[in-house]
Amino acid sequence: MEQKIFVTRTSMPPYEEFAEMIKPLWNTHWLTNMGKYHQELEQKLREYLQVEQLSLMVNGHMSLEMAIQAMQFPEGSEVITTPFTFVSTTHAIIRNRLKPVFCDIKPTDFTIDESKMEALITDKTVAIVPVHVYGNICNVEEIGRIAAKHGLTVIYDAAHAFGETYKGKGIGSFGDASVFSFHATKVYNTIEGGAVASASPDLYQKLYNLKNFGILNENVIADIGANAKMNEFAAIMGLCNLRYVQDNIKIRKKKVQLYNEQLADLSCVRTPEFSQPDVVYNYAYYPVVFATAEYRDIVYDRLKEENIYSRKYFYPLTSDADCFGDRYSTCALDVARDISARVLVLPLYPDMDDDVIVEIAQDIHKISGQAGM
Ligand code: T4K
């Protein structure tokens, strides 16, 4: 490939449209602190995502940190979560002085294995933080049942699930809160950005304060907050991109179908199905699972030589991150470890040429043949 092909490429609105929209900022000089566009985007995203409350934040990670902080769990409490995720999920728990307890995932859709969850619950467990990984939806019904039975809070990491629905309901309407990421690499972006969705006006108010240093009013600083506000340039980018996101998702779906067709006859590669019942997907990522870890690594290296930069999302497991050492004793994570060693996310974005997909698939065929797979 002459040009480098990365795992994703930011979707941008037409330049003139964005330039026109930011012009008023040169009159108002109001650039941040819950300005006009921040408020407008909150309203529009509430409708688009079909959620009752939505607090915009500076990024997905701070959305997670703030959502967890807002729940005011006692220090040292345990949180059941998945190790098969971006390290942000785990960091957000630990930075809140809580202990992650890692639960294995399912081999089918790579989400947390709810059947292994109850065995991990102790008298210190306060919450579950599952991840809708690659846009595959967790078993929200069973997780809801377990949480209700044990009095646990559920905060979904929905960073990959922008705009998805389950049984006709916005995916952000499940659990006590759901966190979205609007990073430049996501299906929908505000350059950097994120949000916490919930059904709770109290949580919305709490987050409003927390993201602005915990300031309640000019005289009262009610919480130990942070600065996690989305600025007006980012909010305007979000307003522009919202006009195109639905079309982009349709294009993504077609590209996923093309990949699937092109790779269909390779028995040593498992392509994504996106076939959970009652789910409308956003086709955020194209993860394939190879027959062996060695084969995955060969394909990764060989594609790189061809200027194609696939990614090993999510390897290593976050439970194995160097910075944690062996601080968090890990339970049996056999499935997560196995998938993490064999998965590769191939390039996928709306303005990617179909020819590139065909070429990547041909490369994988060629590499498979040569590797005797
Ligand atoms: N929870 C989950 C499950 C997540 O996946 C994430 C983020 C979060 C929480 C936290 O949300 P944020 O705080 O990020 O809003 C990328 C993203 O930075 C990260 O947002 C994302 N998950 C993660 C899965 O992927 P890297 O380290 O792989 O990014 P990077 O810089 O290598 O970029 C990947 C490719 O994207 C580049 O090769 C080219 C393309 N790209 C990148 C940037 C920065 C663009 O086209 N434009 C850009 O501006 O983490």
Side-chain angles (χ1 to χ4, degrees):
M1 206 75 64
E2 263 177 44
Q3 224 188 340
K4 285 184 177 175
I5 301 292
F6 296 109
V7 70
T8 188
R9 191 162 91 141
T10 304
S11 296
M12 312 272 284
Y15 169 73
E16 292 73 21
E17 201 174 311
F18 182 69
E20 195 56 37
M21 290 264 302
I22 59 174
K23 253 188 196 165
L25 299 180
W26 269 258
N27 290 328
T28 63
H29 291 240
W30 192 279
L31 302 188
T32 185
N33 289 10
M34 287 72 106
K36 173 177 183 272
Y37 298 102
H38 177 285
Q39 290 171 36
E40 192 179 329
L41 185 62
E42 273 196 352
Q43 183 52 37
K44 288 236 161 78
L45 284 175
R46 226 171 263 150
E47 287 160 20
Y48 188 90
L49 297 172
Q50 302 176 49
V51 294
E52 287 178 40
Q53 304 292 332
L54 186 112
S55 312
L56 279 181
M57 298 276 173
V58 67
N59 56 45
H61 179 77
M62 286 308 289
S63 306
L64 266 172
E65 280 205 17
M66 299 277 98
I68 296 170
Q69 188 186 346
M71 302 298 175
Q72 295 178 304
F73 300 123
E75 191 173 330
S77 299
E78 294 176 4
V79 176
I80 296 173
T81 189
T82 170
F84 190 71
T85 181
F86 194 54
V87 73
S88 166
T89 320
T90 309
H91 280 350
I93 294 166
I94 294 171
R95 288 170 58 85
N96 269 293
R97 298 176 183 275
L98 302 170
K99 181 183 169 195
V101 174
F102 294 106
C103 182
D104 209 354
I105 61 169
K106 289 172 289 189
T108 45
D109 59 21
F110 320 124
T111 62
I112 196 162
D113 188 341
E114 63 281 352
S115 72
K116 295 179 181 166
M117 222 177 244
E118 277 189 287
L120 301 174
I121 296 174
T122 70
D123 55 4
K124 284 191 169 167
T125 310
V126 289
I128 308 171
V129 177
V131 180
H132 300 305
V133 65
Y134 309 132
N136 287 330
I137 299 306
C138 300
N139 186 340
V140 291
E141 278 143 0
E142 185 58 11
I143 291 172
R145 191 194 65 75
I146 294 169
K149 182 176 159 194
H150 297 275
L152 307 177
T153 300
V154 181
I155 301 172
Y156 283 105
D157 181 337
H160 299 179
F162 181 87
E164 295 193 333
T165 61
Y166 175 60
K167 292 191 173 167
K169 287 173 71 179
I171 199 61
S173 58
F174 294 91
D176 297 278
S178 292
V179 166
F180 292 95
S181 162
F182 312 141
H183 185 262
T185 54
K186 295 289 190 285
V187 164
Y188 166 79
N189 84 84
T190 60
I191 311 171
E192 290 263 11
V196 182
S198 76
S200 164
D202 289 347
L203 179 61
Y204 176 84
Q205 194 53 51
K206 182 97 181 151
L207 291 168
Y208 193 90
N209 297 340
L210 279 178
K211 71 180 171 186
N212 190 27
F213 308 100
I215 296 170
L216 191 60
N217 58 46
E218 282 186 32
N219 301 315
V220 182
I221 301 163
D223 277 302
I224 306 169
N227 182 356
K229 294 161 280 156
M230 177 180 282
N231 72 63
E232 293 289 85
F233 283 88
I236 290 173
M237 186 64 144
L239 288 167
C240 288
N241 277 335
L242 203 51
R243 297 174 185 154
Y244 301 95
V245 68
Q246 242 156 351
D247 286 345
N248 282 343
I249 290 171
K250 280 186 200 144
I251 300 170
R252 282 176 176 276
K253 182 176 183 182
K254 286 203 179 120
K255 300 212 181 285
V256 164
Q257 284 163 345
L258 178 62
Y259 258 129
N260 281 353
E261 282 159 28
Q262 294 291 315
L263 293 170
D265 56 343
L266 268 184
S267 57
C268 45
V269 179
R270 195 177 111 206
T271 54
E273 288 169 15
F274 297 118
S275 61
Q276 294 168 301
D278 303 312
V279 176
V280 175
Y281 290 99
N282 64 11
Y283 305 95
Y285 294 90
Y286 190 79
V288 292
V289 180
F290 291 91
T292 65
E294 189 194 1
Y295 182 22
R296 188 274 304 265
D297 290 343
I298 291 172
V299 173
Y300 172 83
D301 289 338
R302 294 282 297 279
L303 288 178
K304 210 175 193 178
E305 285 164 19
E306 301 284 336
N307 254 348
I308 297 159
Y309 293 82
S310 59
R311 291 295 287 265
K312 298 176 190 175
Y313 296 139
F314 290 101
Y315 175 86
L317 296 180
T318 65
S319 49
D320 293 341
D322 295 331
C323 55
F324 305 143
D326 53 7
R327 241 189 308 162
Y328 305 106
S329 63
T330 50
C331 315
L333 299 173
D334 299 346
V335 178
R337 218 170 280 292
D338 175 48
I339 297 293
S340 172
R342 294 192 289 125
V343 72
L344 195 63
V345 173
L346 300 180
L348 175 68
Y349 44 91
D351 55 0
M352 184 178 178
D353 262 343
D354 283 354
D355 291 349
V356 174
I357 292 180
V358 173
E359 208 170 317
I360 292 173
Q362 280 171 354
D363 282 345
I364 295 175
H365 274 92
K366 201 168 71 189
I367 298 162
S368 308
Q370 287 165 353
M373 303 303 293

